[in-house]
Amino acid sequence: MKYISYFFIAIASALLVILLSLSSCSPNPKTTSQPPQTRQQTADTTVKIRNFKFEPANLAIAVGKTVQFINVDEEPHTATAMDGTFNSKALDTNQTWNYTATKPGTYPYICSVHPFMKGTLTVTNKKN
């Protein structure tokens, strides 16, 4: 009899976990939160994340310039430098994230959710 009560408690706990996880799902999520940003600064250029690609895939900017990443896909994406220089975290549909270049170099980056998505940010010393 003691084990039967454990069984029912386990079943009830599993159902509760399932109900709680399903309650957080929504077939039509609304983007109401503010997008994650490192700085509240106007962007000098934009990279669109569309159709599981970065557009443009290769971008050159000067030190001090800001690039804005905007996700126009239905899936979450990131802009994550391979060397850890920048990481947008997950951007939902229509969310943006700005990165201001601080030092020259070539920074290959990926979407950490979809690593086959690749881009390169080249930061130069000269001001454009």
Side-chain angles (χ1 to χ4, degrees):
M1 191 67 164
K2 174 172 138 182
Y3 295 108
I4 291 175
S5 64
Y6 290 145
F7 176 76
F8 285 117
I9 290 173
I11 295 290
S13 298
L15 287 174
L16 183 61
V17 167
I18 291 169
L19 287 174
L20 287 174
S21 65
L22 288 176
S23 69
S24 66
C25 295
S26 171
N28 296 318
K30 295 180 181 174
T31 315
T32 56
S33 65
Q34 284 291 86
Q37 296 190 1
T38 57
R39 295 182 185 176
Q40 298 293 331
Q41 183 175 356
T42 305
D44 297 296
T45 190
T46 301
V47 173
K48 286 190 177 181
I49 305 170
R50 178 182 9 222
N51 297 322
F52 291 85
K53 295 178 187 169
F54 295 105
E55 297 175 354
N58 299 305
L59 179 66
I61 62 173
V63 169
K65 297 292 185 180
T66 300
V67 59
Q68 180 178 71
F69 292 85
I70 181 167
N71 180 14
V72 294
D73 268 346
E74 294 294 319
E75 298 294 322
H77 295 293
T78 72
T80 305
M82 300 295 285
D83 68 355
T85 300
F86 58 87
N87 183 6
S88 69
K89 306 297 183 205
L91 300 173
D92 286 325
T93 303
N94 295 320
Q95 280 191 318
T96 62
W97 177 76
N98 290 353
Y99 172 70
T100 302
T102 57
K103 67 179 186 173
T106 301
Y107 303 97
Y109 63 92
I110 63 169
C111 168
S112 63
V113 182
H114 309 99
F116 60 88
M117 296 173 56
K118 297 179 181 184
T120 302
L121 178 64
T122 303
V123 180
T124 62
N125 268 326
K126 66 178 170 177
K127 301 282 183 185
N128 292 337

